[in-house]
Amino acid sequence: MRKILAVVVLLASSTAAIAQKSPGPDPLATRRGFEVGGQLAHYHYEEPDFAKFIGNRGGIVGAYTFPPRWNRVFFKVDSRGSYGALKYQGSGTQDSVPDLIIETRGVAGLDFFPGNGVSLSPYLGFGYRYLYNDSRGYTSANAAGYRRYSNYLYAPLGVTMRFDLGNRWVLAPAGEVDIFLIGKQKSQLSDANLGFSDVTNTQEHGSGHRFYLMLERDHFAFGAWWHYWNIKDSDVQPIGLGRAGLEPANWTRESGIEFRYRF
């Protein structure tokens, strides 16, 4: 019996020693696994001197970073869905306009550790942004609205920095340039019952950027973010009745807060 107890004590001691020598994931490295969370934001879309959509939004976010295949290299996919009931200002006003954004991206990057307590994680990838806006009905000036479907393809190029604050707390600012590749804008003009046909315009010129300032500790991450797009005039397409239409130059600004739980 004494020998058995001695073996049990020895095994328990060995297990405890191994546990003490096995730290958690490096807080300065890109964390692997799943992330889920939510975000709140203020949204402002504007076609200068013509129309605006402004309001608050709520959304969900998710991501998965693949287990490492090569040292310090990471592959990550992330997505978000965001909804708002916006206020239109232009040819009159209109309240509670449904507006949905769905965005998904995939990036590849590499972790660098240039000094104690700091890391750099540059990345490059491919992204898709979809927006649905339903302005059907009439404004306060009796102008008829219609549905809009927006599609962007872009290449995100950015870097995440991480600074060790102690006790596994990390400050993680990130900056990103979004290289606009192409956009397709479908306007369901038939909704307005003015005799115009539906039209799809191509957008070839634009740019975007985004910033994050996050606090991270083990399973939790939270902070603030900012997204911005500036898109130029589209091509011109016929819309019927001897008329032609384009998607005018516009800019979009989103800013908000976000919380993520990391598995």
Side-chain angles (χ1 to χ4, degrees):
M1 180 63 72
R2 290 181 179 177
K3 290 183 178 180
I4 294 174
L5 289 175
V7 171
V8 171
V9 171
L10 179 61
L11 288 174
S13 301
S14 301
T15 302
I18 292 172
Q20 290 176 358
K21 293 179 182 179
S22 301
D26 184 350
L28 294 179
T30 300
R31 188 179 179 90
R32 314 293 172 145
F34 287 98
E35 303 177 22
V36 295
Q39 60 179 207
L40 297 173
H42 184 265
Y43 178 89
H44 185 135
Y45 168 90
E46 183 166 339
E47 297 168 2
D49 302 319
F50 183 65
K52 301 177 183 179
F53 287 97
I54 300 174
N56 296 320
R57 313 182 70 98
I60 56 175
V61 294
Y64 178 71
T65 304
F66 291 86
R69 288 180 176 269
W70 300 282
N71 187 32
R72 298 186 292 124
V73 175
F74 61 89
F75 297 94
K76 181 177 183 178
V77 292
D78 65 81
S79 60
R80 72 172 182 128
S82 174
Y83 176 83
L86 309 180
K87 182 179 183 66
Y88 167 80
Q89 302 174 39
S91 300
T93 61
Q94 184 180 13
D95 293 325
S96 301
V97 177
D99 193 274
L100 173 69
I101 293 174
I102 297 175
E103 189 169 9
T104 185
R105 300 135 52 89
V107 302
L110 181 64
D111 290 332
F112 292 95
F113 303 94
N116 291 331
V118 62
S119 69
L120 298 174
S121 302
Y123 58 87
L124 172 66
F126 183 78
Y128 168 68
R129 178 183 183 270
Y130 168 83
L131 180 143
Y132 168 74
N133 178 278
D134 188 350
S135 298
R136 285 177 294 180
Y138 294 89
T139 71
S140 61
N142 208 35
Y146 52 88
R147 288 169 289 180
R148 298 165 56 245
Y149 304 85
S150 176
N151 299 270
Y152 294 172
L153 295 179
Y154 66 95
L157 173 63
V159 60
T160 300
M161 297 170 283
R162 292 184 175 88
F163 299 95
D164 187 355
L165 302 181
N167 196 29
R168 299 188 65 81
W169 282 99
V170 171
L171 180 66
E176 177 182 301
V177 173
D178 292 323
I179 303 167
F180 187 74
L181 301 177
I182 194 169
K184 291 288 186 178
Q185 182 83 23
K186 180 180 179 181
S187 301
Q188 197 105 351
L189 299 180
S190 58
D191 289 339
N193 295 315
L194 298 176
F196 296 123
S197 58
D198 301 337
V199 63
T200 298
N201 294 102
T202 299
Q203 300 159 308
E204 296 183 342
H205 303 287
S207 62
H209 60 259
R210 61 188 68 194
F211 300 101
Y212 295 86
L213 184 61
M214 304 293 286
L215 275 173
E216 303 176 346
R217 189 178 191 276
D218 296 330
H219 294 288
F220 299 97
F222 59 92
W225 54 271
W226 158 289
H227 292 182
Y228 182 82
W229 285 104
N230 190 319
I231 309 299
K232 305 305 181 183
D233 284 344
S234 73
D235 65 356
V236 178
Q237 296 290 336
I239 60 175
L241 303 180
R243 306 285 292 275
L246 59 76
E247 182 67 17
N250 60 81
W251 58 265
T252 302
R253 182 180 65 229
E254 287 184 86
S255 56
I257 56 174
E258 182 173 299
F259 170 83
R260 293 185 179 226
Y261 180 81
R262 308 186 296 179
F263 294 93

